[in-house]
Amino acid sequence: MSGNGENNPFKIAQQQINDCADILKLNQGTREVLLNPMREFHVSFPVRMDDGTTRVFQGFRVQYNDAKGPTKGGIRFHPDETIDTVRALSAWMTWKCAMLDLPLGGGKGGVICNPKELSPHELERVSRGYIRAIAPFIGPETDIPAPDVYTNPQVMAWMVDEYSSIVGRNQFGVITGKPLPLGGSSGRGDATARGGMYTLREAAKVVGLDLSKATVAIQGYGNAGSYAASLAESMFQSKIVAVCDSRGAVSRKDGISPSKVAEHKQNTSTVLNLEGAENMTPDELLTMDVDVLVLAALENSITERNADQIKAKIIVELANGPTTPEADEILYKKGIHVIPDFLCNAGGVTVSYFEMVQNFYMFYWEEEEIHERLDKRMTRAYHQVIQTSEKLKINMRKAAYAVSVGRVVEAMKLRGWV
Ligand code: GLU
């Protein structure tokens, strides 16, 4: 994450908003509302460590824009977290929710910490401490957090428990991505990857790619990347030829079995040295000659530095902000079909929205019903974006912006803000 220096994600997010405002010919006031977060909270909170000492952690929660409904978005635990990263991510959540026509605005949270260096009890106390610090500003009808980088359903369970004890009653609807026995939704676990696969299926039709014969490289092997590997195999019979995590990459021409990678990573905590595969660097993975490149790591993976070396036909952006605007133009000129992040990875927040609805109604749907509803929304959103891209002759990201920002602006106008 490069919150302050080159490729500052919030500068990029603002540049994207400005480009979109030009396309939509928005007036200055509207542009300014879109360029600024509505509310942000900076908190520091004490945590008792296992050795008896106290450490103070810093966290943020940004509620970017709530014109279309309560703000929604995940919480990241990362040592390099910065306010600008959280601002950018909360802006992208705003466009993401609008993209899928969810009655929600966008928000994001982050805590500066390295979960890999915390014991399970310390992780629990950090999770609870952060929720105590932001509790006055969140709620099922105001701002609803969820998992993101290095947070998971167990962390959500501690958070919902802490919030419930603060308000004095169970409030499952305050957080999504919870475990199933605590009001979680079936289908939430693989929702981000699955939603991305639905858009890949549609993109392959447009590009004329037979996914059953396609080769796939996957950058990042967390929740989104690992599910993407197994779903690309089970849904399309595509061949996964390379995967990587933060420590390195492995490739194998004849294909890598996602279940073997999962087992290997479970035992060694990395994909490196996978039996029968060759080690390589994550940078080499990005420029491999494959049909589909899945970006499921962090921001700024494809920049003007490496964009012209990309050989994939379709880029599936499961991460948030993996491609810079300069790189976007290079890829567009090369004819590479990019499924932009806040369209491609919107499956997670879409099933989070289904989770909220189920929590409100106290009535839970079968997994099949979740998949069907998700497929319908992702497919519709993909076609709205490709049609806009073709009509306005702009790249897929700019088209996604035009659709989403247009919807947010419409809501702001109706409310009398602009
Ligand atoms: N963190 C996920 C995202 O970036 C999901 C957010 C949510 O479910 O609210 O889309």
Side-chain angles (χ1 to χ4, degrees):
M1 280 176 229
S2 46
N4 297 314
E6 193 202 348
N7 289 334
N8 174 322
F10 191 48
K11 291 244 154 64
I12 291 176
Q14 288 184 316
Q15 182 184 337
Q16 291 165 335
I17 295 166
N18 270 320
D19 288 347
C20 175
D22 293 341
I23 293 169
L24 297 180
K25 300 189 175 53
L26 300 179
N27 65 32
Q28 188 57 24
T30 309
R31 193 184 285 255
E32 270 173 39
V33 179
L34 297 172
L35 284 169
N36 290 288
M38 302 187 90
R39 278 180 293 278
E40 53 182 55
F41 306 98
H42 297 230
V43 296
S44 39
F45 54 94
V47 173
R48 184 79 69 179
M49 307 305 281
D50 288 349
D51 64 5
T53 59
T54 294
R55 257 181 70 188
V56 172
F57 287 82
Q58 288 191 334
F60 314 104
R61 182 77 191 166
V62 179
Q63 297 168 354
Y64 198 83
N65 185 304
D66 64 4
K68 282 179 67 63
T71 47
K72 179 91 193 81
I75 297 169
R76 313 211 299 183
F77 283 179
H78 200 281
D80 300 331
E81 197 62 272
T82 69
I83 182 64
D84 272 345
T85 329
V86 181
R87 283 179 183 137
L89 288 156
S90 65
W92 292 329
M93 281 311 302
T94 309
W95 322 135
K96 192 182 302 189
C97 292
M99 177 90 264
L100 272 286
D101 246 337
L102 309 178
L104 297 167
K108 203 78 168 197
V111 176
I112 307 173
C113 70
N114 187 351
K116 291 181 186 165
E117 287 170 3
L118 297 172
S119 74
H121 284 119
E122 288 168 343
L123 185 65
E124 176 175 350
R125 290 194 289 268
V126 170
S127 307
R128 290 182 185 276
Y130 174 66
I131 282 301
R132 276 198 301 279
I134 64 164
F137 320 118
I138 61 171
E141 284 164 357
T142 44
D143 183 19
I144 306 98
D148 203 288
V149 172
Y150 294 148
T151 55
N152 57 30
Q154 175 61 73
V155 169
M156 299 304 116
W158 290 322
M159 290 181 170
V160 89
D161 179 69
E162 191 66 28
Y163 186 83
S164 295
S165 60
I166 292 169
V167 297
R169 61 186 183 284
N170 275 338
Q171 276 285 25
F172 287 165
V174 69
I175 284 188
T176 60
K178 303 179 292 292
L180 279 179
L182 280 188
S185 173
S186 48
R188 178 64 182 87
D190 71 5
T192 304
R194 185 177 290 275
M197 292 301 116
Y198 292 143
T199 62
L200 170 61
R201 181 194 62 207
E202 297 307 302
K205 290 182 204 158
V206 170
V207 170
L209 177 70
D210 178 355
L211 285 173
S212 69
K213 299 200 175 76
T215 51
V216 182
I218 300 179
Q219 181 218 24
Y221 221 72
N223 174 286
S226 58
Y227 276 124
S230 46
L231 289 172
E233 190 187 64
S234 64
M235 288 169 68
F236 312 129
Q237 293 77 51
S238 302
K239 200 199 289 176
I240 317 300
V241 291
V243 298
C244 82
D245 59 23
S246 56
R247 299 185 197 187
V250 283
S251 73
R252 186 166 178 268
K253 259 206 166 88
D254 295 333
I256 291 174
S257 147
S259 56
K260 290 229 168 80
V261 186
E263 199 186 311
H264 176 78
K265 194 165 159 83
Q266 175 94 26
N267 296 336
T268 64
S269 63
T270 172
V271 299
L272 272 178
N273 303 319
L274 179 76
E275 205 189 318
E278 275 173 51
N279 286 341
M280 58 197 256
T281 67
D283 279 351
E284 286 171 308
L285 177 142
L286 293 174
T287 56
M288 276 175 76
D289 193 0
V290 287
D291 297 310
V292 178
L293 174 62
V294 177
L295 302 176
L298 294 171
E299 307 88 63
N300 301 331
S301 294
I302 305 190
T303 64
E304 54 192 333
R305 206 172 35 82
N306 58 1
D308 64 350
Q309 295 160 48
I310 306 289
K311 298 176 194 74
K313 297 184 180 72
I314 301 178
I315 296 183
V316 176
E317 291 190 342
L318 289 181
N320 289 309
T323 309
T324 63
E326 295 76 22
D328 267 335
E329 280 310 309
I330 299 172
L331 297 174
Y332 186 56
K333 286 200 183 105
K334 279 171 69 95
I336 295 175
H337 188 83
V338 176
I339 312 174
D341 53 359
F342 66 77
L343 162 64
C344 187
N345 69 27
V349 72
T350 302
V351 177
S352 274
Y353 163 63
F354 297 159
E355 185 174 330
M356 288 171 64
V357 172
Q358 294 169 89
N359 291 157
F360 282 129
Y361 278 91
M362 300 237 332
F363 181 80
Y364 290 82
W365 302 331
E366 303 284 335
E367 190 163 22
E368 267 171 27
E369 185 161 0
I370 302 274
H371 291 170
E372 257 169 51
R373 288 177 186 270
L374 177 63
D375 192 351
K376 220 171 167 177
R377 281 184 184 261
M378 296 298 302
T379 301
R380 187 174 63 202
Y382 174 83
H383 287 285
Q384 284 164 343
V385 173
I386 183 103
Q387 276 159 18
T388 307
S389 158
E390 283 166 0
K391 192 169 134 208
L392 302 182
K393 299 194 174 38
I394 48 178
N395 72 39
M396 286 286 282
R397 188 171 331 272
K398 287 187 174 160
Y401 263 90
V403 173
S404 295
V405 171
R407 287 179 185 159
V408 174
V409 169
E410 187 190 11
M412 298 198 316
K413 276 193 185 143
L414 288 165
R415 295 179 72 139
W417 294 359
V418 292

